[in-house]
Amino acid sequence: MTQRFIEVSLVSRGVTAKARLLDDRAPVTCAAVWEALPLSGDVYHAKYARNEIYALFPPFTPTEPPLENPTVTPIPGDLCYFSFAGTELATKAYGYDREVRPGTTLVDLALFYERNNLLLNGDVGWVPGIVWGEVVEGLPDLAEACNDLWRKGAAGEQLAFRAL
């Protein structure tokens, strides 16, 4: 299979990176994400995992991908896929003001931009993610924008994914 690439962007900040899909390690997840592109949503900065930004989406496949290429210690440039029941995220501690309700399922597409991440949540324990892509160009600028997002806030910012 030929390599596939996507663009990952913080839209308002005008920062874009190029990522390679890991079709050889997470074929089901890569196929699901690829078929759903383009995707864009409000960006959030992680509270628990550390150096992570993410957006939440309604499910875009009939069944969730299996836990392929899992990690609990993502490295800089990793793109991870998570699926959560709304009840897992529907507390005020997470800070969501809409779209997160009991009885729903949410897909979390995340980008890890710096070292020393640990997917351990105080409410539920270990939260393994599926590593489905890796940033291959533009990570330093994107990481700088992620730090800016952490310091200045995420309000009004969108995290976008599109095929190249």
Side-chain angles (χ1 to χ4, degrees):
M1 177 178 242
T2 60
Q3 292 186 341
R4 297 188 289 183
F5 295 90
I6 63 168
E7 179 181 273
V8 181
S9 303
L10 285 171
V11 177
S12 296
R13 284 171 171 80
V15 179
T16 299
K18 180 179 180 181
R20 180 176 68 88
L21 271 62
L22 301 177
D23 286 298
D24 56 331
R25 298 181 191 163
V28 176
T29 306
C30 288
V33 172
W34 185 261
E35 289 300 316
L37 295 176
L39 292 165
S40 174
D42 291 343
V43 68
Y44 297 94
H45 196 288
K47 288 174 81 173
Y48 299 105
R50 195 162 180 186
N51 302 299
E52 171 195 6
I53 63 168
Y54 62 97
L56 300 173
F57 302 98
F60 42 77
T61 61
T63 59
E64 287 302 311
L67 188 59
E68 53 186 0
N69 199 30
T71 190
V72 292
T73 56
I75 62 173
D78 277 352
L79 297 176
C80 289
Y81 179 108
F82 304 90
S83 179
F84 296 104
T87 52
E88 292 177 275
L89 301 179
T91 68
K92 291 188 181 213
Y94 293 100
Y96 305 119
D97 58 356
R98 57 188 181 288
E99 84 249 312
V100 178
R101 297 177 307 284
T104 62
T105 298
L106 294 166
V107 171
D108 169 334
L109 294 183
L111 163 75
F112 292 85
Y113 63 90
E114 187 50 79
R115 299 178 39 164
N116 300 322
N117 303 295
L118 186 62
L119 301 179
L120 181 60
N121 180 304
D123 294 335
V124 298
W126 295 106
V127 183
I130 300 168
V131 182
W132 60 274
E134 64 181 355
V135 174
V136 294
E137 291 178 17
L139 185 58
D141 290 339
L142 192 55
E144 186 175 323
C146 292
N147 276 314
D148 182 67
L149 187 141
W150 173 250
R151 290 188 312 273
K152 295 181 180 171
E157 183 62 87
Q158 295 276 302
L159 178 60
F161 303 88
R162 75 173 184 86
L164 288 179

